[in-house]
Amino acid sequence: MANLKEVRNRISSVSSTQQITKAMKMVAAAKLKRATNAIVQLRPYANKLRDILAQVSASVEGNDSPYTQDRIPTKVLVIVLTSNRGLAGAFNANAIKAANNLIFSKYAEQHARGNLSIIAIGKRGHDFFQKRGFNVIGNYNDLYSDLNFLNVSQVTEYVMEEFKAGNIDRVEVVYNEFRNAAVQVLTAEQLLPLLPQEKEESAKLATEVDYIIEPSKEKIIEELIPKAIKTQLFKAVLDSNASEHGARMTAMDKATENAGDMLKSLKLSYNQARQAAITTELTEIVSGAAALSNG
């Protein structure tokens, strides 16, 4: 009977867990839809902005924007995008691992000299790097609670000012690029200095479209470059946000399936134990009746 009670308690516990994972899957699915709409709507704008910048830059000689200056990367900043909460499979662990690989393979010398800083957007990444003694700048964990272009731009403007002042020589972003609910691609891309288009590609783009530009090409580039940098980071944050919800929905779906399999196994064990107990009781009754009749 003690065994039966234990199995019943486990069945009740697993059933409660399954209800929670189902609810979390539904919540993640609802958030994923909104996050997917946001990144899908931004991508065409970001791509077009990059193309326009490449086309206009191709016809301007000597672009001397402070955000395109390619200096020796003595001081490096790595922006790592994770989430504030767990239960999203390997989403956070993969982003942190990719950031670590980038740091210790590409910028190990800067890290050893104390010239590597980290901006961690997301509590999981922030806590990980802070506990391990990295130079973590600021706390941007609240960014996801009100995710919009203006709030993300505040982070980008700080980074741009530090780069412009020479306090940072290179900025890289590590995040999960969203493909679909089940697929997130780890991406590490350079934010600053802004990478120029290949000469052949820029020349080709410049001949495809003839823009009428006012007031001047130089002024347009001066306005477009900061906007392109802000859009690039905003796109990375939206990608990471959508990837988080996709990973959580997938993880909770798998957890719900696993709970169902466990329930089947527990119910089978319960029925077997119950049948064994009934058989034992019947055997005892028959044995007792036989003993009385013989007596």
Side-chain angles (χ1 to χ4, degrees):
M1 293 300 293
N3 188 40
L4 283 172
K5 185 177 180 181
E6 181 183 342
V7 176
R8 273 201 304 268
N9 289 339
R10 289 192 63 191
I11 289 173
S12 176
S13 175
V14 173
S15 296
S16 298
T17 302
Q18 188 182 46
Q19 290 177 356
I20 293 171
T21 56
K22 278 183 180 179
M24 292 184 69
K25 175 189 171 184
M26 293 175 65
V27 171
K31 290 183 177 180
L32 174 63
K33 183 174 177 58
R34 294 194 296 269
T36 302
N37 290 339
I39 186 61
V40 167
Q41 291 171 8
L42 179 68
R43 275 176 181 162
Y45 171 80
N47 293 336
K48 192 63 179 177
L49 180 62
R50 186 181 64 244
D51 290 345
I52 293 173
L53 182 61
Q55 290 164 7
V56 177
S57 298
S59 58
V60 175
E61 295 294 333
N63 180 19
D64 57 352
S65 169
Y67 305 117
T68 59
Q69 294 178 5
D70 191 8
R71 304 188 289 262
I72 297 174
T74 304
K75 291 167 284 187
V76 178
L77 173 67
V78 179
I79 302 176
V80 186
L81 303 182
T82 58
S83 68
N84 289 332
R85 298 183 296 122
L87 298 177
F91 171 79
N92 290 311
N94 287 341
I96 291 170
K97 183 179 178 181
N100 269 331
N101 290 340
L102 176 69
I103 291 168
F104 291 106
S105 63
K106 192 174 180 180
Y107 301 115
E109 183 179 346
Q110 290 86 340
H111 175 57
R113 292 180 178 178
N115 291 332
L116 186 137
S117 304
I118 288 177
I119 288 181
I121 300 177
K123 189 175 185 298
R124 296 289 170 165
H126 182 274
D127 291 349
F128 177 89
F129 288 106
Q130 193 172 54
K131 288 177 181 177
R132 283 157 182 80
F134 285 83
N135 181 28
V136 180
I137 302 174
N139 189 331
Y140 301 98
N141 298 337
D142 295 334
L143 199 65
Y144 292 112
S145 60
D146 188 16
L147 185 54
N148 56 58
F149 184 76
L150 181 61
N151 288 339
V152 177
S153 292
Q154 292 176 0
V155 181
T156 317
E157 286 170 1
Y158 166 76
V159 173
M160 290 165 63
E161 286 299 318
E162 289 293 297
F163 181 84
K164 187 176 179 180
N167 298 326
I168 299 171
D169 299 313
R170 183 167 297 174
V171 182
E172 302 232 18
V173 186
V174 179
Y175 65 99
N176 283 276
E177 183 180 358
F178 178 77
R179 295 291 173 86
N180 55 57
V183 179
Q184 300 87 36
V185 180
L186 282 166
T187 303
E189 62 186 24
Q190 185 172 310
L191 184 68
L192 286 170
L194 191 66
L195 291 171
Q197 294 280 345
E198 296 293 333
K199 291 184 178 180
E200 296 80 3
E201 183 181 351
S202 298
K204 180 182 178 182
L205 289 170
T207 58
E208 288 178 354
V209 181
D210 185 17
Y211 289 102
I212 299 175
I213 298 174
E214 292 183 358
S216 67
K217 292 180 179 180
E218 291 77 12
K219 184 66 175 177
I220 293 296
I221 290 176
E222 183 182 340
E223 295 290 334
L224 281 182
I225 286 179
K227 186 176 287 293
I229 296 169
K230 292 178 182 179
T231 303
Q232 185 178 354
L233 183 59
F234 184 53
K235 174 182 168 295
V237 175
L238 289 185
D239 261 314
S240 181
N241 186 50
S243 296
E244 175 197 348
H245 297 312
R248 181 168 292 111
M249 188 186 77
T250 303
M252 291 302 99
D253 181 58
K254 189 63 178 176
T256 302
E257 289 182 7
N258 291 340
D261 294 339
M262 189 177 292
L263 279 174
K264 289 179 183 178
S265 177
L266 286 171
K267 288 176 180 178
L268 179 61
S269 298
Y270 177 78
N271 290 333
Q272 289 174 344
R274 186 166 174 269
Q275 288 171 0
I278 292 172
T279 302
T280 301
E281 289 178 3
L282 287 174
T283 302
E284 291 174 354
I285 291 170
V286 171
S287 299
L292 288 173
S293 62
N294 292 332

